[in-house]
Amino acid sequence: MVNSKFLKVNCPSCENESVLFSNSATTVSCELCGSTLATSAGGRARVVAKVVEELE
Ligand SMILES: [Zn+2]
């Protein structure tokens, strides 16, 4: 396995919980309110939202 993982995050705006991939190459938005949760930075996700838990 490469060092990628799933991250459980809390939306900073509406506190909806989402799971996103740490190597996501696209911008990830909250399903409920559309706030940006993570942006792509050089093939890795730069997580904007608060990380609640790291999942293997
Ligand atoms: Zn939200």
Side-chain angles (χ1 to χ4, degrees):
M1 290 288 287
V2 292
N3 66 341
S4 56
K5 56 185 86 171
F6 288 95
L7 304 172
K8 188 187 286 184
V9 301
N10 250 353
C11 175
S13 295
C14 71
E15 300 190 346
N16 179 48
E17 248 182 27
S18 306
V19 175
L20 55 88
F21 191 51
S22 67
N23 280 10
S24 173
T26 58
T27 298
V28 181
S29 300
C30 174
E31 285 182 2
L32 289 187
C33 73
S35 284
T36 300
L37 301 179
T39 58
S40 176
R44 291 182 61 91
R46 199 169 74 84
V47 179
V48 179
K50 188 172 83 174
V51 177
V52 181
E53 191 178 351
E54 293 186 355
L55 312 169
E56 293 302 324

